[in-house]
Amino acid sequence: DDPNAGRSPTRTFRAITPAEHQEFLRLLLLYQQEQDAFQSPGSTLATPEGAISYLRHLVSDPGRRLWWILLGEQPIGFAVFRLLLWTAEPTGMIDDFYVLPELRRHGHGRRAVAAILAHLSQLGATGVRLQALTSNQGAMAFWQSLGFSSRALLLGIAHLMERPIPP
């Protein structure tokens, strides 16, 4: 008998290793394709070459964290975040955040954000920022439900959103 029979797979969050970059690129391309739907017509982020270039950019910055959102051992999303050191107080920045569409609205994203906030708090962050496209109402609602509020409108297309991180 399997002692785990009938149990839900465990949700975990961990760093993406270099050996997993191909799988990360697959999910990054899905994320970028979804983001393209919210961009102006003719604008495209989602190309294999663009995803590879963006991954190179991410891994060249030692301060960026690339984390899997896992269900069991299966990647179901990712988060890219960092600590901004040039702000008045140490502030976290969530650069990219993605959960596969079919697995949304099950608490995976909320738990991942809680893990990110805890990690940023351990690094000394007192707040966290992100950018959300104004046309992506689902993302705007998700972040607002987690206590983020808009602090500025950037070029009329994205909100700079912030929230404090409790000590």
Side-chain angles (χ1 to χ4, degrees):
D1 286 323
D2 180 358
N4 294 315
R7 289 189 189 161
S8 317
T10 310
R11 293 181 193 123
T12 55
F13 316 99
R14 66 166 175 80
I16 296 170
T17 67
E20 297 170 317
H21 283 177
Q22 278 304 118
E23 179 63 10
F24 175 74
L25 283 170
R26 186 183 73 78
L27 288 184
L28 179 63
L29 200 53
L30 291 173
Y31 166 70
Q32 290 177 334
Q33 288 168 346
E34 189 173 320
Q35 291 300 302
D36 279 348
F38 297 104
Q39 302 287 335
S40 44
S43 169
T44 184
L45 297 169
T47 65
E49 298 80 19
I52 291 167
S53 175
Y54 187 55
L55 175 60
R56 283 189 190 121
H57 167 72
L58 293 175
V59 299
S60 71
D61 179 350
R64 287 195 205 247
R65 273 67 172 183
L66 282 69
W67 275 16
W68 282 132
I69 302 169
L70 298 166
L71 187 58
E73 292 298 313
Q74 183 65 37
I76 62 166
F78 64 85
V80 177
F81 62 99
R82 59 194 158 125
L83 185 64
L84 302 175
L85 300 175
W86 47 265
T87 53
E89 294 190 22
T91 302
M93 180 75 180
I94 299 173
D95 294 306
D96 299 290
F97 188 87
Y98 181 71
V99 173
L100 291 168
E102 62 272 19
L103 293 168
R104 293 179 189 159
R105 304 189 66 76
H106 296 283
H108 305 301
R110 289 181 176 284
R111 286 183 181 85
V113 171
I116 291 166
L117 295 180
H119 187 77
L120 288 168
S121 178
Q122 290 174 356
L123 297 174
T126 58
V128 64
R129 298 177 178 170
L130 58 88
Q131 292 180 25
L133 294 170
T134 57
S135 56
N136 188 340
Q137 292 302 308
M140 292 290 298
F142 172 74
W143 294 114
Q144 288 169 341
S145 76
L146 292 170
F148 285 82
S149 57
S150 180
R151 294 289 179 237
L153 185 60
L154 307 172
L155 302 173
I157 62 167
H159 287 275
L160 175 63
M161 302 183 81
E162 295 180 336
R163 67 158 279 174
I165 297 176

